[in-house]
Amino acid sequence: MLKRNWVRGLFGCRTSESKRLGLRVGLSGQPLHESLAMVLMIPDEMRRLRAVNRLTTVMHSALLDAVCEIGARGAGADLAFCTLLDDQMHRVVGAYGTDVEAFPRLPELAQGRRALVMVGDMASAAAMAEHPMVDGRLERMEAAVLAAVMHDGEAVGMIGVGWRRAMAAFPADAAAIVRRMVPVAEAQIEAEAVLTRMAQDAFRLLERVRG
């Protein structure tokens, strides 16, 4: 079952249960539930960013390009991409049909390990209409099926397919294709991270032997 669980803010950021509190005003003058949400979300976001920081050596990959191409062709989409997300930007590590290398975070996306976002007309969504991946400054993507990419239990990026036209209905297998793309991308990202750690350990050992 597809989830349409929208959350405002950074992709992968968890929604605080404090929004259910009945108290109204915080010390900062903001509603108390909003103040508490900001405080309680900080540790979650710090954990997510630590996981992302462990992947700084993961570069644009031909294998991830291939995953994106297979996904786009299978879904009949115009483009596809796989990204890693820091506190501001998506860094593209795999792509098909676009040469965009980085773009600002999208303002509203689903959370959860296998949750999907399916947006048929991004240009009509107020929060997305002026995003450079939608309005043509970087790309003209008007519809997309997107999913979280996980590492160490945290949402570190996203993968998905997109269309340069609005979609009244998505191909029947588009969601299943994106779901299949996710574990392959995660495995490749994990493999590159492990190989980097092994190379760093070998280099440190060599330095000690030389010293």
Side-chain angles (χ1 to χ4, degrees), residues 120-132:
D121 189 355
M122 300 175 82
S124 69
M128 295 185 179
E130 296 183 359
H131 192 280

Side-chain angles (χ1 to χ4, degrees), residues 161-185:
V161 298
W163 290 260
R164 294 191 175 95
R165 63 192 184 280
M167 300 287 286
F170 289 101
D173 54 355
I177 287 171
V178 172
R179 288 186 188 279
R180 293 190 189 104
M181 292 168 69
V182 172
V184 180

Side-chain angles (χ1 to χ4, degrees), residues 44-119:
D44 288 344
E45 181 58 12
M46 289 176 65
R47 283 196 298 271
R48 194 193 74 79
L49 289 175
R50 281 198 294 268
V52 174
N53 288 338
R54 289 191 287 272
L55 301 174
T56 54
T57 56
V58 176
M59 297 290 103
H60 197 125
S61 162
L63 190 148
L64 291 174
D65 284 347
V67 171
C68 290
E69 180 176 359
I70 292 168
R73 289 183 180 276
D78 299 312
L79 57 97
F81 48 79
C82 178
T83 73
L84 296 174
L85 174 63
D86 61 20
D87 59 335
Q88 294 183 336
M89 300 288 290
H90 285 276
R91 177 169 63 89
V92 177
V93 293
Y96 170 77
T98 181
D99 58 0
V100 174
E101 297 180 353
F103 56 88
R105 66 180 176 85
L106 288 163
E108 293 185 353
L109 287 174
Q111 65 175 357
R113 182 170 179 81
R114 292 292 177 259
L116 293 184
V117 175
M118 303 182 71
V119 189

